[in-house]
């Protein structure tokens, strides 16, 4: 039978609660089971320990998709930061300040680092904050976010869903670029954030943070946070319970205390020592990505800013996770080996002790048996001597008896 061409029994009964359908389903399951049993060929090692590998392999095959919404005024540094984050040059044209309405620019890029593929969708506001009447500036953003939810819902409602090919365009994170005024949030910022905070994960960023002094920056951050709180605006909450994220960033509480993040982007590569790094060259020196000591931006998928203020790549995160997994495997393997060796040693000691005990028992029995043999030998010798004495005495008595008889006979004959 050609196993590779086996076809499953059809048709598969649609599920109903009636008894007859149940029995059909039952028979079908048995049929399927038999087919499955016959088809089974072991392709390799299996077990649920393989699940992490399968997940990693599937993720690598399928790639990742990440949708970022960048909301901020024209020229605030949205494109530069995205390029910095993903270490690319997405070559985006500069927008004009003279649009009558706010619009959105949606671009999808296929990025690759090593063998990890990323489908990156960047949605940027165009003309944001450039109109005299800014009241409705947030509306296109809200409409876009809602439209993506609606599209996903429509796909979900379809009888025949095809999520494998479906490009899920729902926004994972909204990077909200705050002008580095050092003063406070603008009413437009508050209005927009208030209208989208229930729909997307907002990560507030102070753009072009190299333009503010350290003290002013700290005060500005406090001011922004207090304004967000007093206006009831929900920003993204870091998953402090996530052990992996917590380990990678060492202390999420520290990062949460740094909100909003101060970021610096750059398209230029400058020489620092012997290395070429992304940075901004000033007459007084090179800024290799200022920002607070280290920062992190997280959403459903995680992106983080390293000590120098630039974002680590997905590849690094993936590699770190993979390394952690392998380290854990190695540690567990080592522990198992140690346990095994320990048990072998214990068993060996037990065996040796039993062997010693048995040997002693054997020696003891041997000694007892030897003594017993010697005793028996002595008894036998004594018995043999007794037998010899007995035979001697018997012979003497027989001789005496014969002599007595002879003497009696002679006496009788003499009397006659
Ligand atoms: N000082 C400083 N300048 C920056 C920074 N990021 C970007 N710039 C500069 O700001 C200008 C505008 O940057 P873009 O990234 O094009 O800004 P944008 O928000 O994408 O602009 P539009 O797409 O046209 O709205 C460029 O000249 C950048 O070099 C920064 O962190 N610090």
């Amino acid at each position: 039978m050609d196993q590779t061409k086996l076809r499953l029994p059809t048709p598969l009964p649609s599920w109903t609660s009636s008894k007859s359908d149940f029995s059909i389903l039952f028979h079908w399951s048995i049929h399927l089971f038999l087919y499955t049993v016959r088809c089974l060929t072991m392709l390799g090692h299996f077990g649920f320990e393989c699940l992490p590998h399968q997940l990693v392999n599937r993720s690598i095959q399928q790639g990742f998709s990440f949708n970022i919404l960048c909301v901020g005024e024209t020229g605030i540094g949205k494109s530069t930061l995205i390029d910095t984050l993903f270490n690319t040059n997405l070559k985006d044209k500069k927008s004009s300040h003279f649009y009558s309405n706010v619009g959105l620019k949606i671009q999808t890029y296929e990025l690759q680092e090593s063998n990890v593929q990323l489908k990156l969708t960047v949605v940027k506001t165009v003309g944001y904050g450039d109109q005299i009447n800014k009241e409705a500036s947030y509306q296109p953003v809200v409409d876009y976010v809602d439209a993506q939810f609606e599209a996903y819902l429509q796909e979900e409602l379809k009888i025949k869903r095809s999520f494998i090919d479906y490009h899920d365009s729902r926004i994972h994170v909204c990077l909200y670029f705050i002008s580095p005024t050092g003063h406070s949030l603008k009413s437009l910022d508050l209005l927009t954030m208030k209208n989208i905070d229930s729909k997307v994960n907002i990560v507030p960023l102070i753009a072009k943070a190299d333009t503010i002094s350290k003290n002013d920056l700290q005060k500005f951050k406090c001011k922004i946070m207090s304004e967000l709180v007093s206006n009831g605006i929900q920003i993204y909450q870091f998953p402090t319970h996530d052990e992996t994220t917590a380990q990678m960033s060492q202390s999420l509480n520290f990062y949460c205390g740094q909100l909003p993040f101060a970021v610096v982007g750059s398209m230029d590569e400058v020489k620092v020592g012997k290395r070429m790094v992304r940075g901004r060259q000033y007459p007084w020196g090179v800024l290799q990505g200022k920002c607070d000591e280290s920062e992190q931006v997280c959403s459903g998928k995680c992106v983080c800013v390293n000590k120098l203020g630039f974002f680590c790549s997905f590849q690094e995160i993936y590699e770190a996770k993979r390394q952690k997994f392998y380290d854990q495997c190695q540690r567990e393997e080592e522990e198992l080996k140690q346990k095994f060796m320990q048990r072998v040693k214990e068993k060996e000691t037990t065996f040796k002790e039993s062997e010693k005990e048995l040997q002693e028992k054997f020696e003891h029995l041997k000694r007892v048996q030897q003594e017993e043999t010697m005793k028996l030998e002595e008894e036998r010798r004594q018995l043999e001597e007794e037998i010899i004495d007995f035979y001697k005495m018997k012979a003497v008595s027989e001789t005496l008896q014969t002599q007595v008889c002879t003497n009696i006979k002679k006496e009788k004959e003499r009397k006659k």
Side-chain angles (χ1 to χ4, degrees):
M1 189 187 217
D2 186 1
Q3 297 207 337
T4 54
K5 285 184 181 167
L6 269 180
R7 272 190 289 143
L8 292 175
T10 48
L12 171 67
S14 61
W15 175 258
T16 70
S17 55
S18 81
K19 263 189 183 174
S20 59
D21 277 0
F22 179 77
S23 71
I24 295 169
L25 184 64
F26 176 75
H27 286 298
W28 191 87
S29 313
I30 297 284
H31 207 150
L32 175 67
F33 172 73
L34 290 173
Y35 265 78
T36 316
V37 168
R38 262 186 263 153
C39 290
L40 273 183
T41 42
M42 284 256 288
L43 294 172
H45 184 65
F46 64 89
F48 59 82
E49 63 168 340
C50 302
L51 287 177
H53 296 289
Q54 286 175 9
L55 281 179
V56 167
N57 290 343
R58 201 178 59 186
S59 302
I60 289 176
Q61 271 168 18
Q62 289 180 352
F64 295 90
S65 124
F66 193 33
N67 306 328
I68 305 182
L69 170 65
C70 297
V71 182
E73 293 165 15
T74 309
I76 203 166
K78 301 182 287 294
S79 314
T80 312
L81 189 75
I82 293 293
D83 280 340
T84 311
L85 293 182
F86 295 95
N87 200 20
T88 49
N89 189 351
L90 303 175
K91 292 200 177 81
D92 202 5
K93 271 196 275 163
K94 302 231 175 313
S95 316
S96 145
H97 282 276
F98 304 105
Y99 288 107
S100 53
N101 292 310
V102 174
L104 291 171
K105 198 180 200 176
I106 305 150
Q107 277 160 319
T108 299
Y109 309 94
E110 303 274 350
L111 305 179
Q112 182 159 2
E113 269 181 14
S114 300
N115 57 346
V116 181
Q117 288 181 344
L118 174 71
K119 190 171 189 171
L120 175 70
T121 302
V122 182
V123 182
K124 275 193 333 178
T125 51
V126 178
Y128 186 79
D130 289 336
Q131 296 77 31
I132 296 169
N133 181 2
K134 301 183 178 71
E135 229 175 85
S137 295
Y138 67 86
Q139 201 55 51
V141 179
V142 174
D143 291 347
Y144 177 80
V145 172
D146 286 343
Q148 307 325 302
F149 281 127
E150 184 58 32
Y152 189 82
L153 179 69
Q154 287 308 323
E155 187 61 37
E156 261 193 336
L157 291 176
K158 279 184 188 166
I159 297 170
K160 250 190 168 181
R161 297 170 211 153
S162 59
F163 278 117
I164 299 169
D165 320 320
Y166 181 73
H167 177 214
D168 182 3
S169 53
R170 289 174 303 167
I171 297 296
H172 294 109
V173 67
C174 164
L175 300 180
Y176 194 93
F177 290 73
I178 299 163
S179 253
T181 57
H183 195 258
S184 61
L185 285 170
K186 296 176 184 174
S187 49
L188 174 61
D189 298 331
L190 292 170
L191 198 64
T192 306
M193 283 198 254
K194 187 83 199 141
N195 278 284
I196 58 170
D197 70 347
S198 58
K199 301 172 196 281
V200 285
N201 299 311
I202 301 177
V203 176
L205 307 175
I206 298 174
K208 301 187 182 180
D210 54 322
T211 57
I212 321 182
S213 74
K214 200 172 177 182
N215 286 343
D216 286 351
L217 185 65
Q218 213 44 52
K219 283 183 206 153
F220 190 35
K221 282 185 173 199
C222 294
K223 183 89 174 87
I224 291 170
M225 284 315 283
S226 75
E227 280 183 341
L228 289 176
V229 172
S230 60
N231 283 283
I233 293 168
Q234 288 288 319
I235 56 170
Y236 178 67
Q237 296 299 312
F238 285 84
T240 39
H241 58 274
D242 185 340
E243 204 186 289
T244 325
T245 327
Q247 271 177 7
M248 284 180 64
S249 54
Q250 300 193 346
S251 165
L252 274 168
N253 287 338
F254 167 78
Y255 296 116
C256 296
Q258 298 292 312
L259 283 162
F261 299 127
V263 293
V264 177
S266 174
M267 295 296 294
D268 304 330
E269 295 238 317
V270 286
K271 202 167 185 183
V272 176
K274 285 179 186 167
R275 286 189 311 132
M276 290 301 284
V277 291
R278 271 191 192 241
R280 303 192 74 83
Q281 186 130 35
Y282 292 106
W284 52 88
V286 170
L287 176 74
Q288 194 187 335
K290 185 182 163 280
C291 294
D292 322 287
E293 287 172 43
S294 49
E295 301 184 346
Q296 167 142 357
V297 177
C298 279
S299 71
K301 303 197 173 134
C302 183
V303 183
C304 73
V305 183
N306 67 13
K307 281 214 163 200
L308 301 166
F310 288 132
F311 284 66
C312 311
S313 61
F314 282 105
Q315 176 70 13
E316 282 169 37
I317 293 164
Y318 163 74
E319 285 298 341
K321 281 199 176 182
R322 204 164 78 148
Q323 189 57 44
K324 197 186 149 210
F325 173 70
Y326 279 120
D327 288 350
Q328 197 181 332
C329 283
Q330 293 243 303
R331 263 201 314 278
E332 279 173 12
E333 202 180 312
E334 198 54 44
E335 267 173 33
L336 275 174
K337 262 188 199 165
Q338 295 281 344
K339 269 189 193 164
F340 177 73
M341 294 302 284
Q342 183 70 22
R343 286 198 65 183
V344 167
K345 263 187 190 167
E346 279 171 16
K347 281 274 168 218
E348 226 173 57
T349 321
T350 324
F351 282 144
K352 271 186 183 161
E353 276 170 10
S354 324
E355 196 186 336
K356 204 176 152 193
E357 243 173 58
L358 277 172
Q359 188 67 30
E360 278 172 6
K361 241 184 193 170
F362 172 72
E363 291 293 332
H364 173 73
L365 283 172
K366 209 169 134 184
R367 264 199 314 278
V368 169
Q369 194 247 353
Q370 271 175 359
E371 280 169 15
E372 202 70 27
T373 318
M374 277 164 69
K375 221 166 134 187
L376 281 171
E377 278 294 323
E378 182 61 28
E379 276 177 16
R380 201 176 77 164
R381 199 183 52 76
Q382 276 178 7
L383 265 173
E384 275 173 2
E385 275 176 12
E386 275 173 26
I387 291 169
I388 291 167
D389 287 349
F390 170 76
Y391 279 117
K392 274 181 189 169
M393 277 170 70
K394 194 182 162 191
V396 171
S397 85
E398 275 174 359
T399 320
L400 279 174
Q401 213 176 359
T402 325
Q403 256 182 5
V404 169
C405 284
T406 320
N407 286 346
I408 292 169
K409 236 181 186 176
K410 273 181 186 174
E411 195 64 31
K412 272 184 184 172
E413 278 175 7
R414 202 169 42 89
K415 276 180 186 175
K416 277 180 191 173

